[in-house]
């Protein structure tokens, strides 16, 4: 720590702080430094001293896990250096960014380090740009490393790897072993994360019977795991040469799950013992605390989930480690680390069904995490589970509601807890919502029409509100940090005041059964239960979808009738009495992947009786009728074949006809075909003209992750939905949201509810009130006919968008011959505003 001499009393306080810091008394160092800071601020010509003491305080608060306090002091130091010392400014921006990352705010970290990359360059006045401008290789390597780690934490692993390689290359050039160790370790973690993703995708493909794809994904996952091992082992070797026990311990800890993934249990056990031996020699700081938590959880391989219980035989060792971690956290007054240590300890007692100490420890974890909401929700959830296990339902519901309220405040930064304590969305967030929904639904009678004034109806409204919040969290998780969720209905929607002939069907898939809740315009509600477990439901829905897509087979309506009997038939009399003509579905899980229009009652398809639409959630749906008089479209299309990332896409010979139909029905529309259909021309048109409708006739792929969700444009390029959103939102002419985004020739994988989630959220992510898209690609001649009829009907002010699509689908059915098969008309779904 620097020694300051200008003000005698201040100097004494600074020296006192230095001595305490060097002795490991981080909290003890803070008070004298704060006194010195006040004295320097009062003195003239002491701004440099103010900046240096602020740096000391920032690093100390970071050391004890108080990132928000650290950020405040970084601001003071940076304000001093910015006009006089750009190099130091850049380095401090990197340290401030690390503080943001430590509290889960990776978007702010990235903004400080690089901002939005333009033409492969970081924005001016960011840490990377400043370091490069002043040829500060040390600062540049640190900034790239921090940037890579921020992208890794938020789940953008390929981008992370790119930036981490930049850091490693420079660190090797300047022979800085600490930066090399850090970059190698982060690269290992990034490849480990990729291997985990690959394994999950392989499992998904295997469930769908796609063995070849599953094998390829597993091979790629194994390759990434091997790369991770190589990088972490290199990091370990370098740390050993430097006698750096902290990084050696971290490397050993990172190696353990990699060995488990290779089923090398002997190596995992030996590495665990080596890590424990080194851990005992570490100084009592936050690194030692988090290492203890990791080592406690890594005593067996399958500990990814926060509710996974350790085997009873390893629990005593885990308890010892966690108690030591908690003791260190209490001595260093690191509340954030303390919350994780005693929270995990409480979880072990929860697993033992020893609920009194479990609850006491979990409450202590909650108190310790009050300032860190990205971990607070975990302990609120744990509190709810403990109460639920003791059959104390009101207390359990209250705790679950607190957990969800906490999640709502951090949705933009969801799942960005401490980098060493992250879990999968479906392990950490999804169950909280579903458990709460289950508890609330337990008290509601089924198969009974409940009046709007019934107390049970109020409970159902609460259930639907919770389900809607889950949909928002799912979309945020799917699209990531770049997703802009425009919540337009905070308090819910009174459908009856807007549309007296529409019923809303909400599905909620739970572990052993599925709830179907119908909401009618007069406020009445009815819930029925489908008694099928997740796997059975998935298999039967996939069978339904496969039958729909079988163009060349004679259509078998039996699967469609079975699903109709589950979802629609129990509500037949209520639909008739309410004179419903439109059904809007808010689907869950695998049900998103199939079109409700193709359900069959034994006599006719659902679309032959009702207009049909879907929406990811009512809170995201702006329900206001549009003015068809102003409709004109920017019509983009691709007729040529394309190859994207090795995937071949056939030419679409009827797209030119489809674009022509759009121009015919919507006067004043502008076409952009083939080479003209590119980012530059799209941005130019949107900047210079206002288009209520964007019609895109090209191949679209909706994948398990947003990186695999894209549209094929001209010149063999791809445009992700996120990029399309940025183009739309960055233009000046479209001050209002796009009225309608139409995507034809799209496809989602059968049985992949993550991909279907991407399609369900396409209108939200693209900044449109509604979207018309296809679940699978069909012959473009039929698409051209559907588009022509849809737009012709859309110009009729008496017809809603849902009714316009219904009329287009009915026209194709009535054409007869092969077009009666749902493969040709069923894939088109209307998403969002159906009015």
């Amino acid at each position: 720590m620097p020694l300051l001499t200008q003000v005698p009393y201040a100097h004494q306080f600074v020296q006192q702080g230095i001595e305490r810091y060097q002795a490991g008394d981080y909290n003890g160092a803070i008070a004298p430094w704060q006194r010195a800071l006040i004295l320097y601020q009062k003195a003239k010509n002491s701004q440099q001293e103010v900046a240096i003491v602020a740096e000391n305080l920032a690093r100390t608060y970071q050391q004890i896990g108080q990132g928000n306090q650290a950020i405040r002091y970084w601001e003071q130091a940076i304000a001093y250096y910015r006009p006089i010392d750009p190099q130091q400014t850049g380095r401090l921006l990197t340290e401030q960014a690390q503080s943001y990352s430590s509290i889960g705010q990776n978007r702010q970290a990235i903004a400080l380090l690089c901002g939005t990359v333009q033409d492969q360059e970081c924005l001016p006045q960011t840490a990377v740009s400043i370091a490069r401008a002043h040829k500060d290789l040390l600062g540049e390597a640190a900034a790239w490393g921090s940037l890579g780690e921020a992208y890794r934490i938020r789940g953008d692993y390929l981008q992370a790897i790119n930036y981490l390689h930049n850091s490693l290359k420079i660190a090797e050039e300047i022979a800085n072993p600490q930066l090399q160790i850090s970059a190698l370790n982060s690269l290992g973690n990034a490849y480990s994360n990729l291997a985990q993703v690959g394994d999950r995708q392989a499992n998904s493909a295997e469930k769908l019977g796609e063995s070849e794809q599953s094998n390829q994904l597993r091979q790629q996952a194994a390759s990434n795991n091997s790369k991770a091992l190589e990088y972490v082992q290199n990091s370990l070797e370098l740390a050993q040469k430097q006698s750096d026990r902290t990084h050696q311990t971290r490397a050993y800890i990172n190696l353990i799950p990699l060995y488990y993934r290779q089923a090398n249990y002997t190596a995992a056990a030996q590495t665990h013992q080596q890590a424990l031996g080194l851990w005992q020699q570490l100084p009592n700081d936050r690194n030692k605390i988090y290492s203890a938590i990791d080592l406690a959880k890594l005593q067996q391989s399958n500990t990814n989930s926060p509710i996974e219980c350790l085997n009873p035989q390893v629990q005593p060792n885990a308890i010892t480690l966690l108690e030591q971690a908690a003791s260190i956290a209490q001595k260093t007054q690191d509340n954030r680390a303390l919350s994780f240590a005693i929270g995990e300890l409480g979880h072990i007692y929860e697993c033992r069904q020893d609920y009194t100490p479990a609850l006491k420890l979990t409450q202590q974890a909650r108190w310790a995490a009050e300032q860190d909401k990205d971990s607070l929700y975990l302990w609120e959830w744990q509190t709810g589970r403990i109460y639920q296990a003791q059959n104390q339902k009101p207390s359990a519901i209250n705790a679950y509601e607190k957990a969800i309220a906490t999640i709502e405040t951090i949705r933009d930064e969801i799942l960005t807890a401490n980098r060493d304590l992250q879990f999968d969305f479906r392990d950490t967030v999804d169950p909280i919502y579903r458990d709460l929904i289950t508890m609330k639904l337990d008290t509601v009678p089924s198969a009974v029409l409940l009046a709007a004034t019934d107390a049970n109806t109020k409970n159902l409204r609460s259930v639907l509100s919770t389900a809607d919040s889950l949909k928002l969290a799912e979309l945020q998780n799917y699209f990531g940090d770049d997703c802009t969720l425009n919540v337009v209905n905070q308090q819910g929607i009174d459908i009856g005041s807007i549309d007296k002939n529409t019923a809303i069907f909400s599905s909620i898939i739970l572990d052993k059964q599925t709830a179907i809740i119908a909401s009618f315009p007069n406020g009445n509600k009815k819930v029925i239960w489908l008694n099928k477990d997740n796997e059975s439901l998935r298999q039967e829905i996939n069978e339904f979808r496969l039958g729909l897509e079988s163009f060349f087979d004679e259509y078998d309506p039996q699967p469609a009738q079975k699903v109709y009997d589950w979802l629609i038939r129990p509500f037949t009399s209520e639909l008739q009495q309410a004179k419903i003509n439109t059904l809007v579905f808010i689907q869950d899980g695998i049900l998103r992947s199939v079109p409700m229009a193709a359900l069959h009652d034994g006599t006719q398809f659902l679309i032959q009786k009702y207009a049909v639409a879907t929406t990811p959630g009512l809170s995201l749906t702006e329900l206001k009728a549009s003015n068809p008089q102003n409709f004109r479209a920017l019509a983009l299309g691709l007729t040529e074949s394309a190859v994207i990332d090795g995937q071949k896409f056939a030419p679409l010979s009827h797209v030119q006809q489809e674009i022509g139909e759009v121009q015919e029905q919507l006067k004043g529309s502008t076409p952009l075909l083939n080479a003209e259909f590119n980012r530059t021309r799209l941005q130019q048109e949107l900047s210079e003209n206002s288009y209520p409708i964007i019609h895109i006739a090209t191949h679209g792929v909706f994948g398990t992750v947003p990186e695999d969700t894209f549209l094929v444009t001209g010149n063999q390029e791809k445009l992700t939905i996120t990029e399309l959103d940025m183009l739309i939102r960055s233009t000046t002419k479209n001050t209002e949201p796009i009225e309608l985004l139409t995507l034809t020739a799209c496809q989602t994988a059968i049985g992949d509810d993550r991909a279907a989630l991407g399609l369900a959220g396409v209108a939200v992510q693209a900044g449109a009130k509604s979207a018309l898209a296809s679940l699978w690609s069909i012959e473009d001649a039929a698409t051209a006919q559907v588009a022509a009829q849809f737009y012709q009907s859309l110009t009729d002010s008496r017809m809603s968008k849902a009714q316009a699509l219904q009329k287009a689908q009915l026209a194709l059915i009535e054409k007869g011959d092969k077009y009666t098969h749902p493969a040709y008309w069923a894939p088109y779904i209307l998403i969002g505003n159906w009015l």
Side-chain angles (χ1 to χ4, degrees):
M1 286 291 165
L3 191 64
L4 306 177
T5 59
Q6 288 192 8
V7 179
Y9 289 117
H11 163 73
Q12 292 176 20
F13 287 131
V14 169
Q15 185 60 35
Q16 189 179 30
I18 291 171
E19 290 169 359
R20 291 180 180 179
Y21 186 94
Q22 290 175 340
D25 183 6
Y26 304 124
N27 280 282
I30 288 174
W33 277 338
Q34 286 178 331
R35 291 177 186 172
L37 187 66
I38 293 169
L39 291 173
Y40 283 133
Q41 286 170 334
K42 291 179 179 178
K44 295 181 179 179
N45 303 318
S46 296
Q47 290 308 300
Q48 183 177 8
E49 287 77 11
V50 168
I52 293 172
V53 174
E55 282 185 63
N56 292 350
L57 283 165
R59 292 192 181 99
T60 306
Y61 274 115
Q62 184 63 34
Q63 187 67 33
I64 62 172
Q66 296 188 31
N68 285 307
Q69 288 282 58
I71 289 164
R72 187 161 64 88
Y73 285 108
W74 287 129
E75 291 288 355
Q76 290 187 39
I78 290 167
Y80 168 76
Y81 286 113
R82 195 179 290 278
I84 63 170
D85 190 343
Q87 178 173 296
Q88 184 67 357
T89 299
R91 291 184 178 187
L92 295 190
L93 284 172
T94 295
E95 294 199 66
Q96 187 181 31
Q98 291 167 353
S99 295
Y100 273 115
S101 284
S102 74
I103 60 173
Q105 297 184 26
N106 299 298
R107 191 180 303 177
Q108 288 87 336
I110 290 167
L112 291 173
L113 292 163
C114 183
T116 305
V117 177
Q118 296 181 349
D119 300 323
Q120 306 303 312
E121 294 291 334
C122 293
L123 294 179
Q125 300 307 309
T126 57
V128 171
S129 289
I130 291 171
R132 299 185 82 178
H134 294 84
K135 296 181 170 53
D136 176 17
L137 292 178
L138 181 65
E140 186 181 351
W144 283 125
S146 296
L147 183 63
E149 188 66 357
Y151 272 99
R152 185 190 73 80
I153 295 170
R154 84 172 196 167
D156 193 343
Y157 305 127
L158 294 177
Q159 190 76 288
I161 288 168
N162 181 38
Y163 293 140
L164 290 169
H165 275 299
N166 289 349
S167 178
L168 180 60
K169 181 180 178 182
I170 297 170
E172 289 172 342
E173 285 177 13
I174 62 176
N176 186 300
Q178 289 303 311
L179 286 175
Q180 289 179 60
I181 291 168
S182 180
L184 287 166
N185 187 60
S186 289
L187 279 164
N189 287 334
Y191 277 107
S192 176
N193 294 142
L194 278 177
Q196 287 177 299
V197 171
D199 281 335
R200 285 201 297 269
Q201 291 175 336
N203 290 338
S204 177
E206 187 175 359
K207 285 181 180 179
L208 300 176
E210 297 174 359
S211 56
E212 184 177 347
Q213 184 185 9
S214 177
N215 290 335
Q216 290 175 352
L217 288 166
R218 289 200 194 286
Q219 289 173 10
Q220 185 60 52
S223 173
N224 285 327
N225 199 70
S226 297
K227 289 178 183 177
L229 266 171
E230 182 180 350
Y231 280 116
V232 177
Q233 286 168 341
N234 289 342
S235 173
L236 174 62
E237 290 171 10
L238 197 51
Q240 288 170 332
K241 289 178 183 177
Q242 299 295 314
S243 300
D244 184 340
R245 291 192 182 98
T246 297
H247 281 99
Q248 286 181 65
T249 306
R250 176 47 51 194
Y252 279 130
I253 289 171
N254 289 343
L255 284 170
I256 295 168
L258 299 176
Y259 286 132
Y260 274 132
R261 210 173 289 138
Q262 290 185 336
N264 191 344
Y265 302 114
T266 301
Q270 290 173 346
T271 304
H272 197 280
Q273 288 303 311
Q274 289 170 304
L276 271 175
L278 271 175
W279 179 83
Q280 300 288 352
Q281 304 172 47
L282 295 180
N284 289 338
D285 58 15
R286 68 193 323 251
N287 287 319
K288 187 169 186 176
I289 300 167
Y290 286 123
S291 295
I293 295 169
D294 284 338
L295 286 167
K297 292 173 67 64
L298 286 170
Q299 292 187 94
Q300 64 189 62
S301 60
N302 188 21
T303 55
N304 286 330
S305 168
I307 58 174
E308 186 77 33
C309 287
L310 291 170
N311 293 329
Q313 61 266 32
V314 302
Q315 287 181 4
N317 291 336
I319 288 173
T320 300
L321 275 167
L322 292 169
E323 286 177 339
Q324 288 178 281
S327 176
I328 298 167
Q330 285 171 331
K331 288 175 183 176
T332 59
Q333 297 180 34
D334 188 338
N335 284 334
R336 181 178 173 81
L338 179 63
S339 76
F340 280 109
I342 58 179
E344 292 294 341
L345 196 55
H347 177 51
I348 291 180
Y349 283 101
E350 176 195 1
C351 291
R352 289 181 161 191
Q353 299 181 7
D354 194 351
Y355 296 124
T356 300
L359 190 59
K360 182 180 178 181
L361 287 162
T362 305
Q363 287 173 335
Q364 290 173 354
R366 286 172 56 203
W367 295 332
E370 279 297 331
Q371 302 303 314
D372 300 297
K373 292 187 177 181
D374 60 330
S375 59
L376 176 60
Y377 81 94
L378 289 171
W379 316 129
E380 290 168 335
W381 175 25
Q382 189 161 291
T383 301
R385 295 198 308 269
I386 294 168
Y387 279 128
Q388 189 178 11
Q390 298 177 90
N391 202 30
Q392 297 182 37
K393 186 173 287 187
S395 296
I397 288 175
N398 182 53
Y400 270 89
E401 287 178 335
K402 285 182 179 178
I404 289 173
T406 301
I407 290 171
E408 297 297 297
T409 66
I410 59 169
R411 183 182 292 127
D412 285 351
E413 301 289 344
I414 200 76
L415 297 182
T416 51
N418 182 280
R419 68 194 63 188
D420 300 319
L421 297 163
Q422 292 184 70
F423 308 101
D424 186 82
F425 175 85
R426 294 188 182 189
D427 290 327
T428 54
V429 174
D430 187 273
I432 304 176
Y433 289 89
R434 297 190 191 277
D435 286 353
L436 177 58
I437 287 168
T438 300
M439 284 189 285
K440 287 184 174 181
L441 279 174
D442 279 347
T443 62
V444 178
S446 62
V448 177
L449 183 65
L450 301 170
T453 55
D454 193 302
N456 288 301
T457 304
K458 181 180 179 181
N459 207 6
L460 277 179
R461 283 196 291 268
S462 175
V463 166
L464 292 172
S465 176
T466 302
D468 211 47
S469 295
L470 172 58
K471 300 296 191 294
L472 300 187
E474 286 178 317
L475 288 173
Q476 186 76 62
N477 176 249
Y478 179 83
F479 286 112
D481 284 349
D482 293 325
C483 180
T484 303
L485 291 175
N486 184 23
V487 179
V488 294
N489 300 298
Q490 294 280 6
Q491 305 302 321
I493 294 177
D494 176 10
I495 294 296
S497 65
I498 300 170
D499 186 351
K500 296 187 182 301
N501 300 110
T502 292
I504 310 292
F505 278 65
S506 302
S507 59
I508 305 171
I509 300 174
L510 305 172
D511 280 342
K512 300 298 182 183
Q513 54 188 349
T514 295
I516 309 297
I517 304 171
S519 302
F520 298 94
N522 60 2
N524 293 350
K525 296 187 187 301
K526 181 177 177 180
V527 58
I528 63 105
W529 287 98
L530 175 61
N531 293 315
K532 284 196 172 294
D533 61 58
N534 258 324
E535 193 54 39
S536 298
L537 180 65
R538 175 179 293 277
Q539 289 175 0
E540 297 200 54
I541 292 299
N542 285 342
E543 180 188 352
F544 172 40
R545 167 82 182 254
L546 285 166
L548 294 177
E549 286 194 49
S550 300
F551 290 86
F552 304 110
D553 297 332
E554 184 176 345
Y555 180 63
D556 176 9
Q558 288 299 318
Q561 291 173 13
K562 184 190 302 182
V563 181
Y564 179 93
D565 290 341
W566 294 344
L567 306 184
I568 307 298
R569 196 174 298 281
F571 305 96
T572 302
S573 61
E574 290 84 5
L575 292 170
Q576 291 172 347
Q577 289 172 13
K579 298 181 179 178
I580 298 300
N581 61 26
T582 301
L583 303 182
V584 175
F585 293 88
I586 304 174
Q587 298 289 41
D588 193 17
I590 193 65
L591 290 169
R592 300 186 189 105
S593 69
V594 287
M596 293 296 104
L599 299 185
H600 201 277
D601 67 1
T603 304
Q604 59 184 350
F605 291 106
L606 192 68
I607 196 65
Q608 293 174 295
K609 193 169 185 179
Y610 300 101
V612 175
T614 184
T615 179
L618 289 180
S619 62
L620 295 168
T621 306
E622 184 177 346
L623 287 181
K624 189 167 64 176
S626 53
N627 181 4
Q629 302 301 318
N630 300 325
F631 282 171
R632 61 195 290 260
L634 178 60
L636 308 110
L638 183 70
T639 64
E640 303 164 343
S641 61
V643 178
I644 303 292
D645 297 338
Q647 184 176 355
K648 296 180 180 179
F649 295 93
L652 298 167
S653 55
H654 287 80
V655 159
Q656 191 155 0
Q657 175 192 345
E658 182 179 334
I659 299 298
E661 293 287 0
V662 174
Q663 290 179 272
E664 174 66 26
Q665 301 301 332
L666 303 176
K667 304 302 181 185
S669 296
T670 300
L672 294 177
L673 273 171
N674 297 326
E676 284 283 285
F677 174 18
N678 58 62
R679 283 184 184 82
T680 303
R681 286 288 286 118
L682 177 56
Q683 186 168 26
Q684 179 185 345
E685 279 298 330
L686 291 175
S687 299
E688 295 175 356
N689 300 286
S690 178
Y691 293 101
I693 296 174
I694 298 179
H695 182 102
I696 305 179
T698 184
H699 293 287
V701 176
F702 286 81
T704 302
V705 293
E707 292 77 17
D708 295 333
T709 295
F710 60 88
L711 307 174
V712 181
T713 69
N715 301 323
Q716 306 284 314
E717 294 179 347
K718 68 179 181 181
L719 180 72
T720 68
I721 298 299
T722 299
E723 289 169 336
L724 178 63
D725 168 54
M726 292 173 66
L727 282 173
I728 291 172
R729 293 182 194 269
S730 65
T731 57
T732 57
K733 289 294 181 182
N734 283 307
T735 54
E736 290 291 318
I738 297 295
E739 187 68 43
L740 175 68
L741 172 68
T742 299
L743 303 171
T744 61
C746 293
Q747 58 191 46
T748 60
I750 292 173
D752 191 340
D753 50 323
R754 283 280 295 176
L757 179 67
L759 185 63
V762 66
V764 176
Q765 178 63 353
K769 294 179 184 177
S770 313
L772 174 62
S774 60
L775 281 164
W776 60 84
S777 182
I778 66 166
E779 66 169 45
D780 48 336
T783 300
Q785 293 176 53
V786 169
Q789 181 62 63
F790 173 72
Y791 286 125
Q792 183 182 13
S793 300
L794 200 61
T795 57
D796 185 344
S797 60
R798 297 166 298 179
M799 194 169 288
S800 69
K801 294 189 187 80
Q803 290 168 332
L805 177 58
Q806 179 190 28
K807 190 170 182 179
Q809 289 173 306
L810 291 177
L812 209 58
I813 295 171
E814 290 162 5
K815 194 171 182 180
D817 297 328
K818 65 179 182 180
Y819 294 111
T820 59
H821 195 300
Y824 291 93
W825 53 264
Y828 304 104
I829 59 171
L830 182 68
I831 307 160
N833 179 8
W834 63 88
L835 296 178

